[in-house]
Every structure is written in C-alpha cells, then in structure tokens.
Amino acid sequence: EEPRMVTYSRDESKPRLFFWPDYSKANPYQHLLYGQLKDQCEVMAGPISLASHIARNAPQSGPMIFHLHWTNFLFIFANDEVQAKTNVEAFLGDLRAFKEAGGSVIWTVHNLVSHESPYLDLEKRLINEVLELADTIHLHSAASIAEVRTHFDLPPGKIRIAPHGSYLGVYSDYVGRGSARGALSLEEDDEVILFAGQVRPYKGVEELIEAFVALAS
C-alpha cells in the first residue's frame, strides 16, 4: 500500500536516460535499443512527469535525457477530447519544465501520427510542439524525411538517422519449413503469401487480400 522506493545511480556524472512509453513487454525493440548502454548511462522507463520532477528536484552534473517514442499513450486512455487536451497540455508543460531544468529531448518518429488516432487535429498540434521542443529527431531511414515533411515542418539541424535494428536471434526459430507447411496442410510446392503482424483496421488487410486474389487470377 506504500509507494515503493526508487533508487538511482550514485554516479551523478553518468547520463540519466528516461524513455517513454515503455512497450518493452510486448516488443523487444526497446530492450535491444538500450541493452548496450547499461555501462554508459542509467536507463529507466518513466513518463515526462517523473523526468521533469527529478530534473527539477534532484539535479545532477551529468546529462539528463528524455527519449519519447510514441504519442498514443496521451489519447488511448482519454474518455473524451477534453481529457485528451488535458493530457496533452500536462505533457507539454512537463516537457518544457524538463528542458528548463537542463534536460535534452529526443523523439523517435515511429509513425507520423498514432494508428487509428481518435483526435487527429489535437495530435498534429502536439507533434508540431514536440518537433519544436526536441533537441534531436531520430528517424530510421533517410527516406522518412520527405514523408514527414509532407505533413510537418522538420528542422534539418535536428535530424539524426539510425536504422532500425534487426530482430534476428531474438525470437526462437524452432519450427522448420516442412513442419510449418505440414501444420497448415500445405504441399511442398504450394505458393504461400504471408501477412505478418496484428490484424487491425488501419493495416488494410481486406484490400491486401483483394490484391492477392487479383494477382493469383
């Protein structure tokens, strides 16, 4: 019933990196991204409210960094647009306070906007603010620059390109080709077209099936 104690590194000269939202339980991307940093900096999952509070109340001599990944967490739990606006204003307020306390902000642009975004105009305003406040904007490929710029003003001096890492070796590869085909009642020479990932409306799976049928006919 009591709040648990949180301890931090005693080496105040070591960089402190906060990242949010924490989706590491569902996707190994963040574990892989930060796995090599444990000896170089202190990495912790935490919202900007926590990062801002620590930056203002427990200053240190080393750098403090907030790494933002996705923005959907501000909207998916909002009951209505009023609550979503409240979430956005609180987030931006904490982000500004974090920067005023000497922190740096990195934003990795995984998506232009959240998938199935319920409040598109509000999220676009948020993204414009984040682009202005961020010190570094991380893209996974140079090809993304033109796409982002069709919707937002992307400051060239902030852009950093770092390709998405590989998942090879992360997931167990214990089902062979023959076993997989046998489980699906497929012959050795049957043609297979695979759609991988969650089936969600924004992915256009119905249109994909129609395209497959058209190609096969």
Side-chain angles (χ1 to χ4, degrees):
E1 294 180 359
E2 294 296 322
R4 64 187 179 91
M5 297 299 294
V6 180
T7 58
Y8 301 100
S9 170
R10 294 182 179 180
D11 184 357
E12 294 185 353
S13 64
K14 181 182 290 188
R16 182 177 290 168
L17 172 63
F18 303 86
F19 71 92
W20 195 254
D22 180 6
Y23 289 160
S24 58
K25 290 183 179 180
N27 187 330
Y29 171 82
Q30 288 169 316
H31 280 305
L32 295 171
L33 182 65
Y34 302 121
Q36 303 300 315
L37 296 178
K38 61 182 180 179
D39 295 328
Q40 303 173 39
C41 66
E42 182 184 8
V43 180
M44 67 188 80
I48 187 59
S49 55
L50 172 65
S52 176
H53 175 79
I54 292 174
R56 288 180 285 113
N57 296 284
Q60 64 175 49
S61 57
M64 298 190 72
I65 303 162
F66 179 75
H67 188 180
L68 173 65
H69 286 274
W70 297 274
T71 57
N72 65 329
F73 67 95
L74 293 169
F75 306 100
I76 56 177
F77 299 115
N79 295 323
D80 51 35
E81 189 170 2
V82 173
Q83 181 61 58
K85 287 181 178 178
T86 300
N87 294 347
V88 167
E89 293 304 326
F91 175 83
L92 291 174
D94 285 328
L95 200 64
R96 295 186 187 99
F98 180 74
K99 290 208 59 172
E100 289 171 1
S104 299
V105 175
I106 300 172
W107 181 35
T108 292
V109 184
H110 293 278
N111 310 300
L112 284 175
V113 292
S114 302
H115 300 311
E116 303 151 325
S117 179
Y119 310 111
L120 189 57
D121 290 340
L122 179 60
E123 186 164 9
K124 286 181 177 179
R125 184 173 71 81
L126 165 69
I127 289 172
N128 281 319
E129 293 276 359
V130 171
L131 286 170
E132 183 176 343
L133 289 169
D135 298 278
T136 300
I137 300 166
H138 166 220
L139 301 172
H140 288 117
S141 71
S144 299
I145 297 175
E147 183 178 2
V148 174
R149 281 183 172 157
T150 60
H151 300 276
F152 302 102
D153 183 14
L154 188 60
K158 297 182 179 182
I159 299 172
R160 299 293 183 274
I161 305 297
H164 198 301
S166 171
Y167 288 125
L168 287 175
V170 176
Y171 295 102
S172 299
D173 186 11
Y174 57 88
V175 179
R177 185 175 186 273
S179 299
R181 284 179 169 261
L184 297 170
S185 300
L186 295 168
E187 298 297 330
E188 182 65 25
D189 57 351
D190 285 342
E191 291 186 358
V192 177
I193 300 175
L194 172 67
F195 167 80
Q198 295 180 343
V199 180
R200 292 170 62 183
Y202 76 88
K203 293 198 174 184
V205 178
E206 292 181 353
E207 290 83 354
L208 188 62
I209 293 173
E210 291 174 359
F212 288 161
V213 171
L215 288 171
S217 61

